Amino acid sequence: MSATKGMVLTMEKRIRVLVAKPGLDGHDRGAKVIARALRDAGFEVIYTGLRQTPELITETALQEDVNVIGLSILSGSHNTIFPKVLALMKEKNMSDEVLLIGGGVIPDDDIPGLKAAGVAEIFGPGTPTASIVDFITANAK
């Protein structure tokens, strides 16, 4: 008798999240906290490390077949980096399949424009990690 006889095998696809620190910002503690919280919530997490370019981020996201790209930006370059990543996602036919979210120090006044451009959500400092997990769970494809 086979050891697997009677055993039900299920293959549940886990949500894959790329966490990236674009630009010249050298502080990644928050990104690491988020990456760990997402991993602990059951997501597969790929952390790219510091000083990533939009090109490297989108190429890694494509290669890793992620459902979500999460950018952590503290440098004030959010109005440049998010649109660039969105443009590259569109160019690589990822914009309909991959959710782009962000966090860091982003002024409230800039958030509506980022969302109108295609960023799904912005999570500011102090956002409970459970809120991020819930948002990704509800919105990732």
Side-chain angles (χ1 to χ4, degrees):
M1 180 184 284
S2 168
T4 59
K5 187 174 182 175
M7 186 186 311
V8 177
L9 299 176
T10 60
M11 302 236 358
E12 187 176 318
K13 185 176 180 204
R14 295 189 332 174
I15 296 172
R16 294 176 58 86
V17 182
L18 179 79
V19 176
K21 285 292 297 182
L24 299 177
D25 179 17
H27 177 56
D28 66 348
R29 182 171 181 264
K32 288 179 178 177
V33 168
I34 297 302
R36 183 177 195 108
L38 297 178
R39 186 202 64 202
D40 290 349
F43 300 138
E44 290 185 42
V45 178
I46 298 98
Y47 175 60
T48 63
L50 293 168
R51 299 180 185 89
Q52 300 298 304
T53 66
E55 292 81 6
L56 285 172
I57 292 166
T58 53
E59 188 58 35
T60 301
L62 188 62
Q63 290 175 7
E64 293 288 345
D65 192 28
V66 300
N67 307 97
V68 181
I69 298 173
L71 301 181
S72 173
I73 302 175
L74 301 174
S75 64
S77 59
H78 51 276
N79 284 327
T80 302
I81 292 175
F82 278 110
K84 179 67 174 173
V85 170
L86 286 163
L88 289 166
M89 289 172 64
K90 186 174 184 178
E91 181 181 301
K92 296 175 187 289
N93 297 316
M94 299 166 59
S95 55
D96 290 336
E97 300 297 321
V98 179
L99 188 70
L100 179 62
I101 62 174
V105 182
I106 299 172
D108 290 340
D109 290 345
D110 292 347
I111 294 173
L114 293 171
K115 286 185 173 183
V119 178
E121 189 61 83
I122 300 291
F123 300 97
T127 300
T129 55
S131 297
I132 301 168
V133 168
D134 291 345
F135 184 84
I136 291 172
T137 301
N139 293 286
K141 297 176 183 175

